[in-house]
Amino acid sequence: MKCMLGKNAVCIPEPVVKLFERLKNGNGVGAIFARGALRSLIAKALGLGIGFLLQIVIARVLGIEQFGVYAFALSWVNILLVFTLFGANKAIIRFLPPYRLSESTALMAGLLRWASSVVLSAGLALCLALWAFLFLSDAVQNRELVRTMALASLLLPILGLSQLRQAGLIAMKQVFRAEFADTFIRPLLLIILAVSWHWVLDAPVVAHQAMLMQLAATIVAFLIGARWLKQALPNKINVVTPSYDVKVWRLMALPMMFIAGIHILLKQTDVIMLGMITGTTESGVYSVMSRLSNLAMFGLGAATAMAAPMIAELHDSGKMTALRRVITLTIRGSLFFMLGASAFLICFGEAITTLYGPGFAAGLSALYILLIGQAVNAATGPLNSVVSMTGHQMHLAKVQGITATINIFLNLCLIPRFGMVGAATATTTAIAISNLWLLFYVHKHLNIRVSPF
């Protein structure tokens, strides 16, 4: 028993002290994973709190109708961002760790330059294409939606480069910094701008003005994150002549772009289709429920940020026992947070929705259904990372492609009759199909048991 001296002595059992010392100073897989996951957890916890505060502030400032326009435009940006990234962020997470271990600085430099040029070119091209569609056609009649989406399109190259910066920091095991710029700094700046505009200047805010604030906050957060990545990379990366292995990178990136596209479709199809079928107001309410349900994914997101590069390293070095341990630890942490978050949302969901303003409580039934899907995600752990980081990304693309098709079909059938409840049911069904299919594949073909035990 170790005791801290003082008037009120606190004694800590010796096994607990040894556990903390092992986690703090240990070099084993479990200790390294725990330290990285804890940093990611802290960053995501800060981001989660500030993210919810941001959504509440924006909903309050804009009102339910303008918030729906704002959320609908951001959903389209999230989909188009996949094609901006071209899978380059996944290529960085996959190849930068082994390049770092082998001290292949020239390849590190080449990979980062190739990824940046691809993302910047794709982002600008998509931005111009969207502007042409919005201003040269009459497909979108809502002028406020046109203005909002035009400004949102400017986010594509900036968010694309930000995702590369985040991937680079994750690959260098700087998980806290990778998360902090996007999940804390950017939302905090947006809150300050929105509050200043609405309450300090006493001026009304509409959707396109909120999107302009989002653009400004994103630029500042990107510059801060880019500075951190420069500090994390080896010093000689700036002077070495880059070496390129574009064929290998592209073979990884293209399937991952498809996989990421399918993944974001699984996440955004319901919001987009609700907006197109029932209107942007109901879509905005549902987007809040979707964001609330993501609270249950907090543990999985934090653990996977650290687990993904470790899975790649351990698989490449043949350390399968250690790889299985990383998966098990990830699932345990995910289930722990999922159960707590779900219980909290079920007990206090109605009170939470009142913070957003009148009308948002209508989405509670959809929230409860979405939590079932998040429970499946938590119980099956980092399946996407396991499959993609072990070289089986083509099968992942196949599974998610079929699942996305099922999701679209179910949304088309259920939304017209059941609205938000139909969208939530379609999404949860698609999540269950995808995870159970991948679970069977990993067990049969990779001989990896995905379990918390």
Side-chain angles (χ1 to χ4, degrees), residues 174-190:
Q174 298 283 324
V175 181
F176 182 84
R177 284 185 165 186
E179 301 283 352
F180 194 74
D182 282 332
T183 60
F184 186 81
I185 295 176
R186 179 159 60 105
L188 180 61
L189 290 173
L190 186 50

Side-chain angles (χ1 to χ4, degrees), residues 376 399 402-404 406-407 410 426-439:
V376 175
V399 171
I402 294 173
T403 306
I406 294 172
N407 189 29
L410 290 174
T427 299
T428 297
T429 303
I431 289 172
I433 292 172
S434 176
N435 280 278
L436 293 176
W437 190 345
L438 289 175
L439 186 68

Side-chain angles (χ1 to χ4, degrees), residues 334-345:
S334 303
L335 285 171
F336 175 79
F337 281 102
M338 182 276 299
L339 292 172
S342 296
F344 175 78
L345 289 171

Side-chain angles (χ1 to χ4, degrees), residues 86-95 114 246-263 308 311-312 315-316 382-402 434 437-438 441-442 445-446:
F86 201 71
N89 58 328
K90 300 298 183 182
I92 288 175
I93 294 176
R94 175 63 181 87
F95 293 112
W114 170 80
V246 176
K247 184 177 180 180
V248 172
W249 301 335
R250 192 181 289 127
L251 284 174
M252 172 68 179
L254 285 174
M256 291 309 299
M257 179 183 71
F258 180 76
I259 292 166
I262 298 303
H263 181 68
I311 289 170
H315 179 264
D316 286 351
L383 278 175
N384 287 355
S385 294
V386 173
V387 176
S388 62
M389 294 296 154
T390 56
H392 295 259
Q393 59 269 18
M394 293 303 295
H395 184 77
L396 179 59
K398 173 186 173 182
V399 171
Q400 294 203 336
I402 294 173
S434 176
W437 190 345
L438 289 175
Y441 180 84
V442 167
H445 296 280
L446 301 182

Side-chain angles (χ1 to χ4, degrees), residues 159-366:
L159 284 175
L161 293 174
S162 293
Q163 289 290 309
L164 294 186
R165 183 266 313 156
Q166 187 179 55
L169 286 169
I170 289 174
M172 299 301 293
K173 297 184 180 179
Q174 298 283 324
V175 181
F176 182 84
R177 284 185 165 186
E179 301 283 352
F180 194 74
D182 282 332
T183 60
F184 186 81
I185 295 176
R186 179 159 60 105
L188 180 61
L189 290 173
L190 186 50
I191 288 173
I192 293 171
L193 290 172
V195 169
S196 300
W197 189 297
H198 184 68
W199 282 292
V200 177
L201 299 179
D202 194 25
V205 182
V206 292
H208 80 272
Q209 292 168 338
M211 194 61 70
L212 185 61
M213 299 175 201
Q214 175 76 256
L215 183 62
T218 301
I219 292 172
V220 173
F222 164 70
L223 293 174
I224 294 172
R227 175 69 177 174
W228 286 344
L229 177 59
K230 185 178 180 181
Q231 294 173 350
L233 293 170
N235 291 329
K236 60 180 180 179
I237 202 171
N238 297 314
V239 296
V240 71
T241 301
S243 179
Y244 297 92
D245 198 355
V246 176
K247 184 177 180 180
V248 172
W249 301 335
R250 192 181 289 127
L251 284 174
M252 172 68 179
L254 285 174
M256 291 309 299
M257 179 183 71
F258 180 76
I259 292 166
I262 298 303
H263 181 68
I264 200 68
L265 276 177
L266 287 171
K267 293 177 64 177
Q268 300 292 335
T269 293
D270 43 10
V271 177
I272 293 292
M273 294 186 70
L274 266 172
M276 296 174 67
I277 296 173
T278 65
T280 56
T281 299
E282 189 165 346
S283 175
V285 173
Y286 183 85
S287 72
V288 169
M289 300 305 113
S290 180
R291 178 66 180 267
L292 287 172
S293 74
N294 286 336
L295 177 64
M297 290 294 291
F298 177 66
L300 181 59
T304 302
M306 186 60 192
M310 291 188 71
I311 289 170
E313 286 186 18
L314 294 171
H315 179 264
D316 286 351
S317 57
K319 299 177 180 178
M320 300 306 292
T321 301
L323 189 152
R324 293 187 186 97
R325 177 161 172 75
V326 168
I327 295 171
T328 298
L329 291 172
T330 301
I331 297 176
R332 287 177 182 175
S334 303
L335 285 171
F336 175 79
F337 281 102
M338 182 276 299
L339 292 172
S342 296
F344 175 78
L345 289 171
I346 291 170
C347 292
F348 302 104
E350 187 171 357
I352 292 171
T353 57
T354 61
L355 298 173
Y356 292 87
F360 284 92
L364 280 174
S365 296

